[in-house]
């Protein structure tokens, strides 16, 4: 299966479209089925053992509910984080912000294109950058530009993506049984075709000799990538 990137329906729907709202709710089920909060939390904790981060950048954060589930796992060990939820669409609800505040995390939602934001002076230097179900939106040339921008902003980057594999393809076809709508069913299948395998992300990471790169299958359907700057390297 060659990697192929196609537009996803959710990206073209207006923020308040009922199908888009429903699909964002479906995404929570998809993330739960894929076990992404647990995979991401484990990977982040493994890479930050002695240094709890203060500034966390979440790229393609959507409505922030995935990150909230992640924060519930991390907050006891990472107190008082400042979280930047970056997404092109302004879809973070007030109750989600309040839930972060209850964990003593300050959450700032930024509505911007990821390339514009990472290249701008508004983007702070973060301790950690993370992306969930986001990198697969980009073809390889854009992805290598994106990874280069991320490497300039954070010494640790972790991503959880769909694995381009038969199990994930079958899983995406079964989402109708969970009641997912047509937007989610389309986008899930497109995401698997645009997903990753092998060392595809490591191959696009800039200056790989200065970073510790790990990339492997995770769970039944997923692909996990981490890049940690070696001492003296990074932004
Ligand atoms: C599949 S959703 C994942 C959302 C969230 N990370 C989650 O796991 O629930 C991908 C998100 O990427 C955002 N997105 C796509 N292209 C983008 C870009 N160029 N800049 C910023 N956000 C983008 C979309 O608006 C969408 O919310």
């Amino acid at each position: 299966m060659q990697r192929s990137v196609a537009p996803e329906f959710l990206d073209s729907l207006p923020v308040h479209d009922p199908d888009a709202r429903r699909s964002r709710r479906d995404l929570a089920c998809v993330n739960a089925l894929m076990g992404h909060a647990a995979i991401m939390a484990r990977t982040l904790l493994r890479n930050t053992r002695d240094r709890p981060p203060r500034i966390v950048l979440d790229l393609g954060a959507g409505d922030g509910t995935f990150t909230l589930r992640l924060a519930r796992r991390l907050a006891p060990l990472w107190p008082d984080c400042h979280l930047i939820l970056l997404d092109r669409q302004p879809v973070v609800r007030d109750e989600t912000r309040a839930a972060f505040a209850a964990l003593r995390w300050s959450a700032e939602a930024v509505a911007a294109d990821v390339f514009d934001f990472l290249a701008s002076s508004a983007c702070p230097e973060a301790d950690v950058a993370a992306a969930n179900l986001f990198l697969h939106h980009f073809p390889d040339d854009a992805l290598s530009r994106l990874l280069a921008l991320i490497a300039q902003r954070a010494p640790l980057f972790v991503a959880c993506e769909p694995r381009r594999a038969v199990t994930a393809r079958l899983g995406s076809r079964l989402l109708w049984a969970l009641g997912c709508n047509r937007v989610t069913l389309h986008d899930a299948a497109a995401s698997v075709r645009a997903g990753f395998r092998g060392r595809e992300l490591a191959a696009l990471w800039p200056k790989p000799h200065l970073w510790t790169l790990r990339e492997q299958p995770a769970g039944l359907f997923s692909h996990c990538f981490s890049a940690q700057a070696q001492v003296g390297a990074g932004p």
Side-chain angles (χ1 to χ4, degrees):
M1 239 204 297
Q2 287 296 314
R3 179 161 194 258
S4 82
V5 179
E8 295 187 18
F9 286 173
L10 182 59
D11 292 340
S12 61
L13 288 172
V15 168
H16 297 297
D17 181 283
D19 280 344
R21 287 177 177 212
R22 173 59 198 273
S23 183
R24 277 194 290 273
R25 282 203 301 276
D26 290 347
L27 258 181
C29 295
V30 173
N31 271 316
L33 193 72
M34 296 175 95
H36 274 200
I39 294 169
M40 180 83 89
R42 242 188 345 262
T43 311
L44 287 166
L45 290 173
R46 194 188 305 131
N47 286 287
T48 51
R49 252 176 228 137
D50 45 349
R51 299 159 278 118
R54 304 305 302 264
I55 301 183
V56 176
L57 188 53
D58 184 20
L59 304 172
D63 63 9
T65 52
F66 168 77
T67 320
L68 179 59
R69 275 194 301 281
L70 184 64
R72 289 194 171 117
R73 292 169 183 262
L74 298 174
L77 296 161
W78 294 7
D80 302 317
C81 268
H82 179 63
L83 173 68
I84 297 167
L85 297 160
L86 181 279
D87 200 283
R88 208 159 44 183
Q89 298 190 314
V91 284
V92 179
R93 293 189 308 272
D94 287 344
E95 58 261 39
T96 307
R97 288 174 217 263
F100 281 113
L103 296 172
R104 297 190 38 220
W105 278 27
S106 59
E108 175 188 355
V110 177
D113 178 80
V114 69
F115 290 92
D116 295 343
F117 181 67
L118 288 173
S120 77
S121 57
C123 178
E125 213 166 274
D127 300 304
V128 171
N132 188 62
L133 299 180
F134 179 58
L135 298 184
H136 69 271
H137 282 74
F138 304 97
D140 285 2
D141 52 347
L143 199 46
S144 73
R145 280 188 287 119
L146 177 58
L147 297 181
L149 286 168
I150 295 169
Q152 287 168 22
R153 292 299 185 182
L156 173 64
F157 174 60
V158 171
C160 265
E161 294 294 322
R163 184 156 85 242
R164 204 169 70 256
V166 173
T167 45
R169 196 166 54 190
L170 290 175
S172 71
R173 288 189 187 150
L174 294 177
L175 288 177
W176 65 267
L178 292 181
C180 290
N181 74 358
R182 64 174 189 94
V183 173
T184 311
L185 295 179
H186 170 275
D187 290 356
S191 302
V192 173
R193 288 192 296 273
F196 302 96
R197 56 193 303 161
R199 301 268 302 167
E200 289 175 338
L201 289 165
L204 297 173
W205 192 261
K207 300 188 184 155
H209 56 289
L210 297 177
W211 295 74
T212 302
L213 303 177
R214 294 195 182 87
E215 182 164 9
Q216 66 273 316
L220 278 178
F221 310 117
S222 309
H223 186 83
C224 186
F225 172 74
S226 67
Q228 181 151 46
Q230 290 165 14
V231 176

